[in-house]
């Protein structure tokens, strides 16, 4: 079954993706699944690397050209942003820009968070940036981050990570840390809108699956658990499981 089916995507969904360890990969994988018979907007409210040519059908990084692209009738993947910086990253749209584009697309996929290419992150007061019409917020958690040393080399905003989870610098990441990071009001779903979906990524070996199940068990013991759906899988291997 396709990833879009596990997530339950339907026409006119606006999906905001947050967390660390696979946001961009997920966004373009979903776009590819929907590509043939839909008009899909792929964008960001932060920054994303310029995708390779095979990942999209149309691209525009000039705000004054947005209407021409949004009014086109051709199906496919449309990448829109406000420019390209010197790191070869597309600059994200404002929430107002997004609001104006919503009526023209069948699906809107938004990378709404940045993690500096690290496996885990915590959130400052101004992030993530989630559009108010988001129908599904998907939070990505890297199961292979378990056992990682807690420091800024490994975790984006590691000091805030410690504040949220109760961990200390130099500790190793454990199940309780990840559970708190997911369920804390200042954690993974901090600014979530619509349905809250947890995607536990990098489940690539039997041990990863065991750890993912243990994480879910730990979450289910917590009265703060308000997650609507949990998916386990590997974006790399294109394998997925419903909550098991």
């Amino acid at each position: 079954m396709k990833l879009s089916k596990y997530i339950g995507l339907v026409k006119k969904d606006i999906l905001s993706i947050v967390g660390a360890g696979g946001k961009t990969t997920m966004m373009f994988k979903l776009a590819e699944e929907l590509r043939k018979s839909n008009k899909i907007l792929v964008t960001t409210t932060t920054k994303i690397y310029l995708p390779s040519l095979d990942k999209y059908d149309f691209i525009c990084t000039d705000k004054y050209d947005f209407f021409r692209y949004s009014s086109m009738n051709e199906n496919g993947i449309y990448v829109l942003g406000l420019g390209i910086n010197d790191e070869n990253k597309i600059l994200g749209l404002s929430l107002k820009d997004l609001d104006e584009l919503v009526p023209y697309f069948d699906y809107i996929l938004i990378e709404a968070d940045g993690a500096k290419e690290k496996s885990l992150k915590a959130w400052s007061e101004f992030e993530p940036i989630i559009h108010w019409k988001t129908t599904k917020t998907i939070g990505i958690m890297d199961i292979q981050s378990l056992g990682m040393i807690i420091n800024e080399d490994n975790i984006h905003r590691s000091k805030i990570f410690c504040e949220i989870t109760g961990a200390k610098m130099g500790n190793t990441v454990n199940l309780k840390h990840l559970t708190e990071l997911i369920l804390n009001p200042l954690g993974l779903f901090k600014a979530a809108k619509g349905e809250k979906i947890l995607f536990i990524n990098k489940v690539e070996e039997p041990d990863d699956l065991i750890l993912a199940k243990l994480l879910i068990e730990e979450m289910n013991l917590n009265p703060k658990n308000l997650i609507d759906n949990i998916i386990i899988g590997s974006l790399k291997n294109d394998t997925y499981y419903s909550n098991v």
Side-chain angles (χ1 to χ4, degrees):
M1 189 161 72
K2 292 182 177 180
L3 178 58
S4 55
K5 296 294 184 184
Y6 280 99
I7 293 172
L9 283 181
V10 295
K11 276 202 174 181
K12 304 312 288 186
D13 261 342
I14 300 174
L15 180 68
S16 289
I17 307 173
V18 299
K23 293 188 301 295
T24 305
T25 300
M26 172 177 280
M27 183 166 65
F28 280 101
K29 190 174 288 287
L30 289 170
E32 184 60 37
E33 288 182 7
L34 301 166
R35 187 176 199 164
K36 281 188 179 179
S37 55
N38 297 286
K39 187 177 176 183
I40 307 125
L41 172 60
V42 170
T43 190
T44 180
T45 53
T46 57
K47 290 178 284 190
I48 57 170
Y49 280 107
L50 187 67
S52 57
L53 292 173
D54 62 308
K55 298 291 186 186
Y56 62 86
D57 300 290
F58 308 98
I59 191 166
C60 177
T61 56
D62 181 350
K63 178 179 179 177
Y64 298 102
D65 245 359
F66 282 179
F67 181 74
R68 180 166 67 88
Y69 281 86
S70 60
S71 60
M72 289 168 59
N73 292 322
E74 288 91 339
N75 288 330
I77 299 170
Y78 292 69
V79 177
L80 302 184
L82 293 180
I84 301 173
N85 68 10
D86 55 8
E87 297 178 291
N88 208 34
K89 287 185 175 181
I90 295 174
L91 303 176
L93 302 184
S94 72
L95 297 182
K96 184 176 181 298
D97 292 329
L98 266 170
D99 213 34
E100 293 172 355
L101 293 167
V102 164
Y104 299 98
F105 293 90
D106 296 317
Y107 294 88
I108 296 179
L109 309 178
I110 307 165
E111 186 167 325
D113 204 1
K116 299 286 186 183
E117 301 183 66
K118 296 178 182 178
S119 300
L120 281 178
K121 71 161 294 182
W123 295 266
S124 68
E125 62 183 18
F126 56 83
E127 59 180 357
I129 305 171
I130 295 183
H131 190 263
W132 46 77
K133 290 183 180 176
T134 292
T135 57
K136 292 178 172 68
T137 301
I138 188 156
I140 297 184
M141 186 59 58
D142 179 350
I143 198 64
Q144 293 183 10
S145 65
L146 282 167
M148 199 166 60
I149 302 296
I150 298 170
N151 56 38
E152 193 58 31
D153 288 336
N154 292 326
I155 301 174
H156 184 41
R157 308 197 194 286
S158 56
K159 182 179 178 182
I160 301 175
F161 175 90
C162 290
E163 292 170 359
I164 291 173
T165 64
K168 296 185 184 302
M169 290 290 186
N171 287 168
T172 56
V173 176
N174 62 35
L175 286 170
K176 290 188 183 298
H177 297 147
L178 292 191
T179 300
E180 191 62 33
L181 191 67
I182 294 165
L183 300 181
N184 191 293
L186 298 177
L188 184 60
F189 291 96
K190 170 187 168 188
K193 304 290 184 188
E195 187 180 354
K196 298 177 185 177
I197 302 169
L198 173 65
F199 183 81
I200 303 175
N201 192 26
K202 299 189 183 177
V203 178
E204 291 157 6
E205 302 293 339
D207 285 351
D208 298 328
L209 183 57
I210 291 169
L211 291 172
K213 291 179 179 180
L214 289 173
L215 176 58
I216 293 170
E217 288 177 11
E218 188 80 24
M219 289 172 57
N220 287 337
L221 294 173
N222 193 309
K224 294 185 288 187
N225 187 357
L226 298 174
I227 306 301
D228 296 300
N229 187 17
I230 301 175
I231 304 161
I232 297 171
S234 166
L235 292 168
K236 175 184 174 183
N237 296 336
D238 209 19
T239 55
Y240 313 105
Y241 313 88
S242 294
N243 187 358
V244 291

